[in-house]
Amino acid sequence: MLLRTFRFFSIFPLPVLHGIGAAMGWLVYGLSPSYRRRMRDNMGRAGYAGHLRQAVAEAGKAVAELPFVWLASEERIARRVFLKNYGLVEEHLRAGRGIVFLTPHLGCFEITAQRVSHDTPIMVMYRPPKQAAMKPLVEVARARGQMLLAPANLSGVRMLAKFLKSGKPVGILPDQVPQEGEGVWAEFFGRPAYTMTLPAKMARLGGDAPVVLTYAERLPRGRGFLIHFVPFPGTLEGDNAQQARAINAAMEQLIAGCPAQYYWSYNRYKVPPGVAAPNTAEAA
């Protein structure tokens, strides 16, 4: 039933879906006090409170565009995708050293690996949705083209490492809160956030594989998505905490490019079960 519903909405033009999504964003914002409070708090702490109105609409667009991104034909999607600095990716692919793609919850993050998979196999870490009904749909949608899925557990980490060592790219969401033992506390917009250590480990396991930051900026009036490819600023040196802070700083720089399109309602500062908070007054 859910898959049929998504297929139906995938027929709609992207501008229509984004119009519906903007209205949905305001509806959820008005009906959910906890959602409203978290979005305001996160944006305020990061210094982007002035982008709140646009961010509410963009959050709704991020949901409404999923039928198009997941189930529309490759030809329709290709007409709506534009690339910036893709030569960086092509250069690394020719070198055959593998690539560690880091994609934060910014813009249409679902479409970045999908686009790269048109040119090369790519393996992305996948955490099944909490709603069981969503699992078949998400797995079908994310396994398009040459995209392969690795579960978000130790077995999946081994799969990623093996794939990367073979000279192929992998994709990770670096701002997703990891589980106990998989992260360290590192500052993110001035507040401690439990941050995964996996990206830096992957780069080392891949023989210092290049790290590329990427995000798909949602263009106005449903024109499509501009996918940015950015070399990682600096190096991933030091201990786990220093590496995690370097990654968070890189994410902050990306978000500054289109702050209204970040996933501000995400509980980025939560304390995972079994993890000691760095400071009970600061952690949420």
Side-chain angles (χ1 to χ4, degrees), residues 184-204:
V184 294
W185 291 102
E187 185 179 283
F188 183 62
F189 286 118
R191 186 180 179 188
Y194 198 60
T195 303
M196 62 173 62
T197 56
L198 180 61
K201 291 178 180 176
M202 280 292 113
R204 287 198 305 272

mmCIF file with all atom_site columns, all heavy atoms in Angstrom, residues 184-204:
data_model
loop_
_atom_site.group_PDB
_atom_site.id
_atom_site.type_symbol
_atom_site.label_atom_id
_atom_site.label_alt_id
_atom_site.label_comp_id
_atom_site.label_asym_id
_atom_site.label_entity_id
_atom_site.label_seq_id
_atom_site.pdbx_PDB_ins_code
_atom_site.Cartn_x
_atom_site.Cartn_y
_atom_site.Cartn_z
_atom_site.occupancy
_atom_site.B_iso_or_equiv
_atom_site.pdbx_formal_charge
_atom_site.auth_seq_id
_atom_site.auth_comp_id
_atom_site.auth_asym_id
_atom_site.auth_atom_id
_atom_site.pdbx_PDB_model_num
ATOM 1   N N   . VAL A 1 184 ? 32.489 9.852  19.682 1.00 0.00 ? 184 VAL A N   1
ATOM 2   C CA  . VAL A 1 184 ? 33.091 10.657 20.752 1.00 0.00 ? 184 VAL A CA  1
ATOM 3   C C   . VAL A 1 184 ? 32.337 11.982 20.800 1.00 0.00 ? 184 VAL A C   1
ATOM 4   O O   . VAL A 1 184 ? 31.672 12.377 19.840 1.00 0.00 ? 184 VAL A O   1
ATOM 5   C CB  . VAL A 1 184 ? 34.590 10.922 20.504 1.00 0.00 ? 184 VAL A CB  1
ATOM 6   C CG1 . VAL A 1 184 ? 35.405 9.628  20.580 1.00 0.00 ? 184 VAL A CG1 1
ATOM 7   C CG2 . VAL A 1 184 ? 34.808 11.599 19.146 1.00 0.00 ? 184 VAL A CG2 1
ATOM 8   N N   . TRP A 1 185 ? 32.466 12.680 21.915 1.00 0.00 ? 185 TRP A N   1
ATOM 9   C CA  . TRP A 1 185 ? 31.838 13.986 22.036 1.00 0.00 ? 185 TRP A CA  1
ATOM 10  C C   . TRP A 1 185 ? 32.726 15.028 21.356 1.00 0.00 ? 185 TRP A C   1
ATOM 11  O O   . TRP A 1 185 ? 33.913 15.120 21.622 1.00 0.00 ? 185 TRP A O   1
ATOM 12  C CB  . TRP A 1 185 ? 31.607 14.348 23.491 1.00 0.00 ? 185 TRP A CB  1
ATOM 13  C CG  . TRP A 1 185 ? 30.552 13.497 24.135 1.00 0.00 ? 185 TRP A CG  1
ATOM 14  C CD1 . TRP A 1 185 ? 30.749 12.442 24.969 1.00 0.00 ? 185 TRP A CD1 1
ATOM 15  C CD2 . TRP A 1 185 ? 29.134 13.617 23.966 1.00 0.00 ? 185 TRP A CD2 1
ATOM 16  N NE1 . TRP A 1 185 ? 29.538 11.895 25.333 1.00 0.00 ? 185 TRP A NE1 1
ATOM 17  C CE2 . TRP A 1 185 ? 28.533 12.606 24.743 1.00 0.00 ? 185 TRP A CE2 1
ATOM 18  C CE3 . TRP A 1 185 ? 28.327 14.495 23.246 1.00 0.00 ? 185 TRP A CE3 1
ATOM 19  C CZ2 . TRP A 1 185 ? 27.153 12.434 24.805 1.00 0.00 ? 185 TRP A CZ2 1
ATOM 20  C CZ3 . TRP A 1 185 ? 26.943 14.340 23.301 1.00 0.00 ? 185 TRP A CZ3 1
ATOM 21  C CH2 . TRP A 1 185 ? 26.372 13.312 24.082 1.00 0.00 ? 185 TRP A CH2 1
ATOM 22  N N   . ALA A 1 186 ? 32.127 15.806 20.461 1.00 0.00 ? 186 ALA A N   1
ATOM 23  C CA  . ALA A 1 186 ? 32.860 16.848 19.750 1.00 0.00 ? 186 ALA A CA  1
ATOM 24  C C   . ALA A 1 186 ? 31.912 18.019 19.509 1.00 0.00 ? 186 ALA A C   1
ATOM 25  O O   . ALA A 1 186 ? 30.715 17.832 19.288 1.00 0.00 ? 186 ALA A O   1
ATOM 26  C CB  . ALA A 1 186 ? 33.399 16.324 18.411 1.00 0.00 ? 186 ALA A CB  1
ATOM 27  N N   . GLU A 1 187 ? 32.451 19.200 19.528 1.00 0.00 ? 187 GLU A N   1
ATOM 28  C CA  . GLU A 1 187 ? 31.630 20.403 19.384 1.00 0.00 ? 187 GLU A CA  1
ATOM 29  C C   . GLU A 1 187 ? 31.002 20.495 17.995 1.00 0.00 ? 187 GLU A C   1
ATOM 30  O O   . GLU A 1 187 ? 31.657 20.262 16.985 1.00 0.00 ? 187 GLU A O   1
ATOM 31  C CB  . GLU A 1 187 ? 32.502 21.632 19.630 1.00 0.00 ? 187 GLU A CB  1
ATOM 32  C CG  . GLU A 1 187 ? 31.736 22.938 19.624 1.00 0.00 ? 187 GLU A CG  1
ATOM 33  C CD  . GLU A 1 187 ? 32.637 24.123 19.893 1.00 0.00 ? 187 GLU A CD  1
ATOM 34  O OE1 . GLU A 1 187 ? 33.005 24.334 21.063 1.00 0.00 ? 187 GLU A OE1 1
ATOM 35  O OE2 . GLU A 1 187 ? 32.993 24.819 18.923 1.00 0.00 ? 187 GLU A OE2 1
ATOM 36  N N   . PHE A 1 188 ? 29.722 20.840 17.986 1.00 0.00 ? 188 PHE A N   1
ATOM 37  C CA  . PHE A 1 188 ? 28.999 21.071 16.737 1.00 0.00 ? 188 PHE A CA  1
ATOM 38  C C   . PHE A 1 188 ? 28.136 22.304 16.953 1.00 0.00 ? 188 PHE A C   1
ATOM 39  O O   . PHE A 1 188 ? 27.215 22.283 17.754 1.00 0.00 ? 188 PHE A O   1
ATOM 40  C CB  . PHE A 1 188 ? 28.148 19.851 16.384 1.00 0.00 ? 188 PHE A CB  1
ATOM 41  C CG  . PHE A 1 188 ? 27.412 19.965 15.068 1.00 0.00 ? 188 PHE A CG  1
ATOM 42  C CD1 . PHE A 1 188 ? 28.110 20.096 13.872 1.00 0.00 ? 188 PHE A CD1 1
ATOM 43  C CD2 . PHE A 1 188 ? 26.027 19.925 15.026 1.00 0.00 ? 188 PHE A CD2 1
ATOM 44  C CE1 . PHE A 1 188 ? 27.425 20.192 12.655 1.00 0.00 ? 188 PHE A CE1 1
ATOM 45  C CE2 . PHE A 1 188 ? 25.341 20.017 13.819 1.00 0.00 ? 188 PHE A CE2 1
ATOM 46  C CZ  . PHE A 1 188 ? 26.038 20.156 12.638 1.00 0.00 ? 188 PHE A CZ  1
ATOM 47  N N   . PHE A 1 189 ? 28.475 23.384 16.293 1.00 0.00 ? 189 PHE A N   1
ATOM 48  C CA  . PHE A 1 189 ? 27.822 24.671 16.507 1.00 0.00 ? 189 PHE A CA  1
ATOM 49  C C   . PHE A 1 189 ? 27.844 25.055 17.987 1.00 0.00 ? 189 PHE A C   1
ATOM 50  O O   . PHE A 1 189 ? 26.844 25.515 18.554 1.00 0.00 ? 189 PHE A O   1
ATOM 51  C CB  . PHE A 1 189 ? 26.383 24.652 15.974 1.00 0.00 ? 189 PHE A CB  1
ATOM 52  C CG  . PHE A 1 189 ? 26.309 24.708 14.467 1.00 0.00 ? 189 PHE A CG  1
ATOM 53  C CD1 . PHE A 1 189 ? 25.737 23.668 13.751 1.00 0.00 ? 189 PHE A CD1 1
ATOM 54  C CD2 . PHE A 1 189 ? 26.812 25.795 13.768 1.00 0.00 ? 189 PHE A CD2 1
ATOM 55  C CE1 . PHE A 1 189 ? 25.659 23.720 12.360 1.00 0.00 ? 189 PHE A CE1 1
ATOM 56  C CE2 . PHE A 1 189 ? 26.737 25.851 12.379 1.00 0.00 ? 189 PHE A CE2 1
ATOM 57  C CZ  . PHE A 1 189 ? 26.170 24.818 11.671 1.00 0.00 ? 189 PHE A CZ  1
ATOM 58  N N   . GLY A 1 190 ? 29.007 24.876 18.602 1.00 0.00 ? 190 GLY A N   1
ATOM 59  C CA  . GLY A 1 190 ? 29.209 25.354 19.964 1.00 0.00 ? 190 GLY A CA  1
ATOM 60  C C   . GLY A 1 190 ? 28.642 24.496 21.060 1.00 0.00 ? 190 GLY A C   1
ATOM 61  O O   . GLY A 1 190 ? 28.645 24.889 22.225 1.00 0.00 ? 190 GLY A O   1
ATOM 62  N N   . ARG A 1 191 ? 28.177 23.294 20.727 1.00 0.00 ? 191 ARG A N   1
ATOM 63  C CA  . ARG A 1 191 ? 27.580 22.422 21.727 1.00 0.00 ? 191 ARG A CA  1
ATOM 64  C C   . ARG A 1 191 ? 28.067 20.997 21.525 1.00 0.00 ? 191 ARG A C   1
ATOM 65  O O   . ARG A 1 191 ? 28.202 20.551 20.376 1.00 0.00 ? 191 ARG A O   1
ATOM 66  C CB  . ARG A 1 191 ? 26.054 22.484 21.605 1.00 0.00 ? 191 ARG A CB  1
ATOM 67  C CG  . ARG A 1 191 ? 25.306 21.727 22.690 1.00 0.00 ? 191 ARG A CG  1
ATOM 68  C CD  . ARG A 1 191 ? 23.810 21.865 22.474 1.00 0.00 ? 191 ARG A CD  1
ATOM 69  N NE  . ARG A 1 191 ? 23.062 21.134 23.487 1.00 0.00 ? 191 ARG A NE  1
ATOM 70  C CZ  . ARG A 1 191 ? 21.740 20.943 23.471 1.00 0.00 ? 191 ARG A CZ  1
ATOM 71  N NH1 . ARG A 1 191 ? 21.044 21.448 22.468 1.00 0.00 ? 191 ARG A NH1 1
ATOM 72  N NH2 . ARG A 1 191 ? 21.144 20.271 24.427 1.00 0.00 ? 191 ARG A NH2 1
ATOM 73  N N   . PRO A 1 192 ? 28.347 20.245 22.621 1.00 0.00 ? 192 PRO A N   1
ATOM 74  C CA  . PRO A 1 192 ? 28.829 18.875 22.454 1.00 0.00 ? 192 PRO A CA  1
ATOM 75  C C   . PRO A 1 192 ? 27.801 17.997 21.756 1.00 0.00 ? 192 PRO A C   1
ATOM 76  O O   . PRO A 1 192 ? 26.634 17.959 22.126 1.00 0.00 ? 192 PRO A O   1
ATOM 77  C CB  . PRO A 1 192 ? 29.064 18.396 23.896 1.00 0.00 ? 192 PRO A CB  1
ATOM 78  C CG  . PRO A 1 192 ? 29.171 19.639 24.710 1.00 0.00 ? 192 PRO A CG  1
ATOM 79  C CD  . PRO A 1 192 ? 28.287 20.654 24.045 1.00 0.00 ? 192 PRO A CD  1
ATOM 80  N N   . ALA A 1 193 ? 28.257 17.283 20.729 1.00 0.00 ? 193 ALA A N   1
ATOM 81  C CA  . ALA A 1 193 ? 27.402 16.359 19.994 1.00 0.00 ? 193 ALA A CA  1
ATOM 82  C C   . ALA A 1 193 ? 28.142 15.028 19.869 1.00 0.00 ? 193 ALA A C   1
ATOM 83  O O   . ALA A 1 193 ? 29.333 15.008 19.527 1.00 0.00 ? 193 ALA A O   1
ATOM 84  C CB  . ALA A 1 193 ? 27.066 16.910 18.609 1.00 0.00 ? 193 ALA A CB  1
ATOM 85  N N   . TYR A 1 194 ? 27.448 13.930 20.148 1.00 0.00 ? 194 TYR A N   1
ATOM 86  C CA  . TYR A 1 194 ? 28.085 12.625 20.021 1.00 0.00 ? 194 TYR A CA  1
ATOM 87  C C   . TYR A 1 194 ? 28.280 12.348 18.537 1.00 0.00 ? 194 TYR A C   1
ATOM 88  O O   . TYR A 1 194 ? 27.318 12.261 17.761 1.00 0.00 ? 194 TYR A O   1
ATOM 89  C CB  . TYR A 1 194 ? 27.219 11.546 20.675 1.00 0.00 ? 194 TYR A CB  1
ATOM 90  C CG  . TYR A 1 194 ? 27.967 10.265 20.972 1.00 0.00 ? 194 TYR A CG  1
ATOM 91  C CD1 . TYR A 1 194 ? 29.076 10.259 21.826 1.00 0.00 ? 194 TYR A CD1 1
ATOM 92  C CD2 . TYR A 1 194 ? 27.563 9.052  20.418 1.00 0.00 ? 194 TYR A CD2 1
ATOM 93  C CE1 . TYR A 1 194 ? 29.752 9.086  22.107 1.00 0.00 ? 194 TYR A CE1 1
ATOM 94  C CE2 . TYR A 1 194 ? 28.238 7.874  20.695 1.00 0.00 ? 194 TYR A CE2 1
ATOM 95  C CZ  . TYR A 1 194 ? 29.333 7.903  21.539 1.00 0.00 ? 194 TYR A CZ  1
ATOM 96  O OH  . TYR A 1 194 ? 30.018 6.727  21.813 1.00 0.00 ? 194 TYR A OH  1
ATOM 97  N N   . THR A 1 195 ? 29.543 12.239 18.123 1.00 0.00 ? 195 THR A N   1
ATOM 98  C CA  . THR A 1 195 ? 29.907 12.242 16.703 1.00 0.00 ? 195 THR A CA  1
ATOM 99  C C   . THR A 1 195 ? 30.622 10.952 16.335 1.00 0.00 ? 195 THR A C   1
ATOM 100 O O   . THR A 1 195 ? 31.525 10.503 17.046 1.00 0.00 ? 195 THR A O   1
ATOM 101 C CB  . THR A 1 195 ? 30.828 13.441 16.399 1.00 0.00 ? 195 THR A CB  1
ATOM 102 O OG1 . THR A 1 195 ? 30.160 14.654 16.791 1.00 0.00 ? 195 THR A OG1 1
ATOM 103 C CG2 . THR A 1 195 ? 31.173 13.516 14.925 1.00 0.00 ? 195 THR A CG2 1
ATOM 104 N N   . MET A 1 196 ? 30.234 10.356 15.212 1.00 0.00 ? 196 MET A N   1
ATOM 105 C CA  . MET A 1 196 ? 30.826 9.085  14.808 1.00 0.00 ? 196 MET A CA  1
ATOM 106 C C   . MET A 1 196 ? 32.306 9.234  14.442 1.00 0.00 ? 196 MET A C   1
ATOM 107 O O   . MET A 1 196 ? 32.734 10.257 13.899 1.00 0.00 ? 196 MET A O   1
ATOM 108 C CB  . MET A 1 196 ? 30.053 8.469  13.646 1.00 0.00 ? 196 MET A CB  1
ATOM 109 C CG  . MET A 1 196 ? 30.031 9.266  12.374 1.00 0.00 ? 196 MET A CG  1
ATOM 110 S SD  . MET A 1 196 ? 29.245 8.339  11.004 1.00 0.00 ? 196 MET A SD  1
ATOM 111 C CE  . MET A 1 196 ? 27.580 8.086  11.615 1.00 0.00 ? 196 MET A CE  1
ATOM 112 N N   . THR A 1 197 ? 33.066 8.202  14.740 1.00 0.00 ? 197 THR A N   1
ATOM 113 C CA  . THR A 1 197 ? 34.492 8.155  14.410 1.00 0.00 ? 197 THR A CA  1
ATOM 114 C C   . THR A 1 197 ? 34.744 7.380  13.125 1.00 0.00 ? 197 THR A C   1
ATOM 115 O O   . THR A 1 197 ? 35.875 7.307  12.644 1.00 0.00 ? 197 THR A O   1
ATOM 116 C CB  . THR A 1 197 ? 35.283 7.486  15.555 1.00 0.00 ? 197 THR A CB  1
ATOM 117 O OG1 . THR A 1 197 ? 34.733 6.175  15.799 1.00 0.00 ? 197 THR A OG1 1
ATOM 118 C CG2 . THR A 1 197 ? 35.188 8.308  16.834 1.00 0.00 ? 197 THR A CG2 1
ATOM 119 N N   . LEU A 1 198 ? 33.690 6.834  12.539 1.00 0.00 ? 198 LEU A N   1
ATOM 120 C CA  . LEU A 1 198 ? 33.821 5.968  11.367 1.00 0.00 ? 198 LEU A CA  1
ATOM 121 C C   . LEU A 1 198 ? 34.450 6.654  10.149 1.00 0.00 ? 198 LEU A C   1
ATOM 122 O O   . LEU A 1 198 ? 35.280 6.034  9.475  1.00 0.00 ? 198 LEU A O   1
ATOM 123 C CB  . LEU A 1 198 ? 32.459 5.388  10.994 1.00 0.00 ? 198 LEU A CB  1
ATOM 124 C CG  . LEU A 1 198 ? 32.413 4.451  9.782  1.00 0.00 ? 198 LEU A CG  1
ATOM 125 C CD1 . LEU A 1 198 ? 33.282 3.225  10.022 1.00 0.00 ? 198 LEU A CD1 1
ATOM 126 C CD2 . LEU A 1 198 ? 30.975 4.047  9.476  1.00 0.00 ? 198 LEU A CD2 1
ATOM 127 N N   . PRO A 1 199 ? 34.091 7.902  9.806  1.00 0.00 ? 199 PRO A N   1
ATOM 128 C CA  . PRO A 1 199 ? 34.651 8.494  8.582  1.00 0.00 ? 199 PRO A CA  1
ATOM 129 C C   . PRO A 1 199 ? 36.178 8.521  8.550  1.00 0.00 ? 199 PRO A C   1
ATOM 130 O O   . PRO A 1 199 ? 36.787 8.141  7.538  1.00 0.00 ? 199 PRO A O   1
ATOM 131 C CB  . PRO A 1 199 ? 34.068 9.919  8.590  1.00 0.00 ? 199 PRO A CB  1
ATOM 132 C CG  . PRO A 1 199 ? 32.790 9.777  9.326  1.00 0.00 ? 199 PRO A CG  1
ATOM 133 C CD  . PRO A 1 199 ? 33.067 8.785  10.405 1.00 0.00 ? 199 PRO A CD  1
ATOM 134 N N   . ALA A 1 200 ? 36.800 8.948  9.643  1.00 0.00 ? 200 ALA A N   1
ATOM 135 C CA  . ALA A 1 200 ? 38.255 8.991  9.673  1.00 0.00 ? 200 ALA A CA  1
ATOM 136 C C   . ALA A 1 200 ? 38.854 7.587  9.623  1.00 0.00 ? 200 ALA A C   1
ATOM 137 O O   . ALA A 1 200 ? 39.879 7.355  8.974  1.00 0.00 ? 200 ALA A O   1
ATOM 138 C CB  . ALA A 1 200 ? 38.730 9.720  10.935 1.00 0.00 ? 200 ALA A CB  1
ATOM 139 N N   . LYS A 1 201 ? 38.207 6.634  10.282 1.00 0.00 ? 201 LYS A N   1
ATOM 140 C CA  . LYS A 1 201 ? 38.689 5.251  10.250 1.00 0.00 ? 201 LYS A CA  1
ATOM 141 C C   . LYS A 1 201 ? 38.619 4.692  8.831  1.00 0.00 ? 201 LYS A C   1
ATOM 142 O O   . LYS A 1 201 ? 39.533 3.987  8.384  1.00 0.00 ? 201 LYS A O   1
ATOM 143 C CB  . LYS A 1 201 ? 37.860 4.382  11.200 1.00 0.00 ? 201 LYS A CB  1
ATOM 144 C CG  . LYS A 1 201 ? 38.079 4.686  12.676 1.00 0.00 ? 201 LYS A CG  1
ATOM 145 C CD  . LYS A 1 201 ? 37.184 3.819  13.547 1.00 0.00 ? 201 LYS A CD  1
ATOM 146 C CE  . LYS A 1 201 ? 37.403 4.119  15.032 1.00 0.00 ? 201 LYS A CE  1
ATOM 147 N NZ  . LYS A 1 201 ? 36.470 3.343  15.895 1.00 0.00 ? 201 LYS A NZ  1
ATOM 148 N N   . MET A 1 202 ? 37.534 5.005  8.122  1.00 0.00 ? 202 MET A N   1
ATOM 149 C CA  . MET A 1 202 ? 37.398 4.527  6.754  1.00 0.00 ? 202 MET A CA  1
ATOM 150 C C   . MET A 1 202 ? 38.502 5.085  5.861  1.00 0.00 ? 202 MET A C   1
ATOM 151 O O   . MET A 1 202 ? 39.068 4.372  5.028  1.00 0.00 ? 202 MET A O   1
ATOM 152 C CB  . MET A 1 202 ? 36.034 4.928  6.191  1.00 0.00 ? 202 MET A CB  1
ATOM 153 C CG  . MET A 1 202 ? 34.893 4.051  6.610  1.00 0.00 ? 202 MET A CG  1
ATOM 154 S SD  . MET A 1 202 ? 34.995 2.375  5.923  1.00 0.00 ? 202 MET A SD  1
ATOM 155 C CE  . MET A 1 202 ? 35.281 1.441  7.417  1.00 0.00 ? 202 MET A CE  1
ATOM 156 N N   . ALA A 1 203 ? 38.801 6.373  6.033  1.00 0.00 ? 203 ALA A N   1
ATOM 157 C CA  . ALA A 1 203 ? 39.845 6.990  5.214  1.00 0.00 ? 203 ALA A CA  1
ATOM 158 C C   . ALA A 1 203 ? 41.183 6.298  5.445  1.00 0.00 ? 203 ALA A C   1
ATOM 159 O O   . ALA A 1 203 ? 41.943 6.041  4.495  1.00 0.00 ? 203 ALA A O   1
ATOM 160 C CB  . ALA A 1 203 ? 39.951 8.482  5.527  1.00 0.00 ? 203 ALA A CB  1
ATOM 161 N N   . ARG A 1 204 ? 41.476 5.953  6.714  1.00 0.00 ? 204 ARG A N   1
ATOM 162 C CA  . ARG A 1 204 ? 42.741 5.260  7.018  1.00 0.00 ? 204 ARG A CA  1
ATOM 163 C C   . ARG A 1 204 ? 42.725 3.844  6.453  1.00 0.00 ? 204 ARG A C   1
ATOM 164 O O   . ARG A 1 204 ? 43.717 3.392  5.859  1.00 0.00 ? 204 ARG A O   1
ATOM 165 C CB  . ARG A 1 204 ? 42.960 5.222  8.529  1.00 0.00 ? 204 ARG A CB  1
ATOM 166 C CG  . ARG A 1 204 ? 43.341 6.560  9.140  1.00 0.00 ? 204 ARG A CG  1
ATOM 167 C CD  . ARG A 1 204 ? 43.962 6.366  10.509 1.00 0.00 ? 204 ARG A CD  1
ATOM 168 N NE  . ARG A 1 204 ? 43.112 5.596  11.404 1.00 0.00 ? 204 ARG A NE  1
ATOM 169 C CZ  . ARG A 1 204 ? 42.172 6.132  12.190 1.00 0.00 ? 204 ARG A CZ  1
ATOM 170 N NH1 . ARG A 1 204 ? 41.965 7.432  12.160 1.00 0.00 ? 204 ARG A NH1 1
ATOM 171 N NH2 . ARG A 1 204 ? 41.442 5.382  12.981 1.00 0.00 ? 204 ARG A NH2 1
#
